[in-house]
Amino acid sequence: MVLNMIAAIVDRDRAPDMSALLDSHKSPLVLTMLARGTATSEALDLYGLEAKEKSLLVTFAGGEQTRQIIRSAKRRLFIDVPGNGIMMAIPIKSAGGARTLAYITGGAAMDGGAPELKFDHELIIAVINEGHTDPVMDAARSAGAAGGTVLHAKGTGGKLSEKFLGVSLADEKELIMIVARSAEKAAIMRAITAECGPGTPAGAVTFSLPLSAVAGLRAFDEEKED
């Protein structure tokens, strides 16, 4: 069975258009979250970006529907043109029962077979203490990251977990999402951990997720290949 969580990061004023596109593919569940960008002025120039206020939209789809959604996003919203956002597909290993699966997919038949295990890109997620985005992104960029997207979060850890490795899990948090080539992922995560990991003011905890499809990184990939 192939099932993906599709995530799209766009400028906030483009979120209604992306939501409408997902609705046109009969996505039964679309979640929209407020976010902000971390790009430097150089990266903003490279991608043709202006606004840093972003929206993160999330939905779920099988393999073929994922391809259709990304294809529509390229044709209708030009998601693969610099400055128009990023769309990615994150493979899901399992769902919480048949009813959950039917709900998040709208009852659509799932693709048979196993998902592709070779991933060209990965999504790095860093959970950090609020207010430390800049040093974390500086560390990430030193290892090749182009930019990231930030979500605000609230830790809910108990008193015991607050003392684990000196990281307080019950404070205000920020969650940084960075899309990177698989070959560069380890170096970026090492740089973040070395400069801003547990025991530092940022207290960054990082992990990565594989991406089965990515759209919107064409300019970055072309620059890397030059």
Side-chain angles (χ1 to χ4, degrees):
M1 179 187 75
V2 178
L3 178 64
N4 296 307
M5 182 179 81
I6 301 174
I9 301 170
V10 296
D11 286 346
R12 201 164 293 176
D13 59 359
R14 291 172 57 85
D17 294 333
M18 179 60 71
S19 180
L21 182 144
L22 297 175
D23 288 341
S24 72
H25 284 270
K26 298 181 171 54
S27 301
L29 176 63
V30 178
L31 305 174
T32 302
M33 291 159 272
L34 302 182
R36 59 184 175 86
T38 65
T40 62
S41 58
E42 292 81 6
L44 290 173
D45 291 340
L46 171 64
Y47 291 107
L49 299 176
E50 294 180 359
K52 286 192 175 183
E53 296 301 310
K54 304 290 182 181
S55 288
L56 169 65
L57 294 90
V58 173
T59 191
F60 304 87
E64 179 55 32
Q65 188 181 19
T66 296
R67 287 186 284 273
Q68 293 175 3
I69 290 173
I70 292 178
R71 185 163 55 244
S72 291
K74 289 180 178 180
R75 291 177 177 175
R76 292 165 52 184
L77 300 183
F78 307 103
I79 198 70
D80 58 339
V81 174
N84 288 335
I86 296 175
M87 179 173 276
M88 65 196 85
I90 304 169
I92 294 177
K93 185 177 181 181
S94 61
R99 290 186 177 181
T100 298
L101 181 61
Y103 174 70
I104 64 176
T105 62
M110 291 292 95
D111 308 74
E116 175 63 50
L117 297 180
K118 181 179 180 298
F119 305 102
D120 294 327
H121 295 87
E122 297 191 36
L123 176 65
I124 299 170
I125 296 180
V127 182
I128 69 172
N129 293 325
E130 185 180 33
H132 294 275
T133 298
D134 288 345
V136 172
M137 285 307 305
D138 286 344
R141 290 191 186 96
S142 73
T149 300
V150 182
L151 297 171
H152 182 75
K154 172 70 176 179
T156 59
K159 291 184 178 180
L160 179 62
S161 62
E162 288 183 15
K163 299 179 182 179
F164 182 67
L165 294 178
V167 178
S168 174
L169 300 181
D171 291 337
E172 297 296 317
K173 300 290 182 182
E174 288 176 339
L175 187 150
I176 302 178
M177 304 169 62
I178 302 170
V179 178
R181 285 183 169 184
S182 296
E184 300 173 337
K185 176 258 303 183
I188 294 172
M189 294 178 69
R190 281 197 300 268
I192 293 174
T193 300
E195 298 294 329
C196 305
T200 70
V205 176
T206 62
F207 58 94
S208 70
L209 298 171
L211 298 178
S212 56
V214 176
L217 292 180
R218 186 175 64 186
F220 176 64
D221 284 343
E222 288 174 352
E223 181 194 31
K224 289 288 185 178
E225 291 170 357
D226 288 342

